[in-house]
């Protein structure tokens, strides 16, 4: 199994899970100029944190065209929006930006797990390689450090 190239946004769907929230929304939302994913990287770089969901069995993994993807959000409230129905046992889990850049991105790549960037309950998320997200976040962090305004 191989993940989609970072330059080819993919809809992230939930495979066989029928009652999971969102990710069946219109493709147009992904391409819209106001897509929150565009703001995701700035928020993550500013707050130095990413959020995902976990339960007693581990992290929530979604499916995109047969490949596993880890959903990531810039704030715990966006992750919390997913905690209902079949996902009621999940809780938001923070990942510091430093830890994501130093360990998680490489580990996800090795495990062939992509990332779903800022999926919303009623909209699709962008799926990309963890290394691509890490590179973009590192660049955004450098920009913010150089020009905090």
């Amino acid at each position: 199994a191989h993940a989609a190239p970072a330059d080819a946004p993919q809809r992230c769907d939930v495979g066989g899970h029928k009652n999971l929230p969102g990710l069946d929304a219109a493709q147009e939302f992904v391409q819209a100029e106001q897509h929150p994913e565009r703001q995701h990287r700035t928020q993550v770089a500013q707050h130095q944190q990413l959020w995902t969901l976990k339960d007693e069995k581990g992290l929530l993994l979604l499916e995109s065209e047969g490949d596993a993807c880890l959903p990531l959000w810039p704030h715990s409230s966006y992750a919390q929006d997913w905690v209902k129905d079949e996902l009621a046992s999940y809780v938001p889990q923070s990942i510091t930006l430093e830890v994501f850049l130093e360990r998680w991105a490489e580990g996800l790549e090795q495990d062939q797990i992509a990332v779903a960037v800022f999926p919303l309950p009623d909209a699709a998320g962008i799926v990309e390689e963890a290394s691509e997200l890490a590179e973009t976040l590192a660049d955004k962090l450098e920009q913010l450090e150089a020009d905090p305004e």
Side-chain angles (χ1 to χ4, degrees):
H2 68 284
D7 58 49
Q10 300 290 321
R11 280 187 63 215
C12 184
D13 60 44
V14 293
H17 298 286
K18 295 177 187 151
N19 296 325
L20 293 183
L23 293 184
D24 58 355
Q27 183 70 18
E28 295 85 37
F29 187 83
V30 175
Q31 297 166 348
E33 284 302 311
Q34 295 301 318
H35 189 278
E37 178 271 336
R38 297 182 192 278
Q39 301 163 13
H40 177 268
R41 292 169 171 98
T42 299
Q43 290 177 2
V44 168
Q46 287 172 337
H47 299 294
Q48 305 280 311
Q49 278 190 323
L50 291 152
W51 292 84
T52 191
L53 289 172
K54 73 169 191 171
D55 69 2
E56 70 279 353
K57 297 175 190 166
L59 297 172
L60 173 66
L61 292 179
L62 303 176
E63 186 178 291
S64 176
E65 296 188 358
D67 293 325
C69 57
L70 178 72
L72 294 173
W73 294 274
H75 192 274
S76 64
S77 63
Y78 297 113
Q80 186 66 42
D81 287 345
W82 281 63
V83 178
K84 55 188 165 194
D85 302 324
E86 288 184 9
L87 300 181
S89 65
Y90 285 83
V91 295
Q93 171 68 47
S94 67
I95 307 165
T96 66
L97 182 55
E98 179 181 5
V99 169
F100 181 80
L101 295 174
E102 290 179 3
R103 297 198 302 259
W104 279 62
E106 184 178 336
L108 289 167
E109 292 275 325
Q110 289 174 353
D111 293 341
Q112 297 183 329
I113 297 173
V115 293
V117 179
F118 205 161
L120 298 174
D122 60 350
I126 299 291
V127 176
E128 65 184 354
E129 297 291 332
S131 61
E132 292 292 326
L133 177 61
E135 184 178 321
T136 305
L137 288 172
D139 290 346
K140 182 60 75 175
L141 190 57
E142 285 179 22
Q143 289 173 9
L144 287 173
E145 289 172 352
D147 184 18
E149 297 298 316

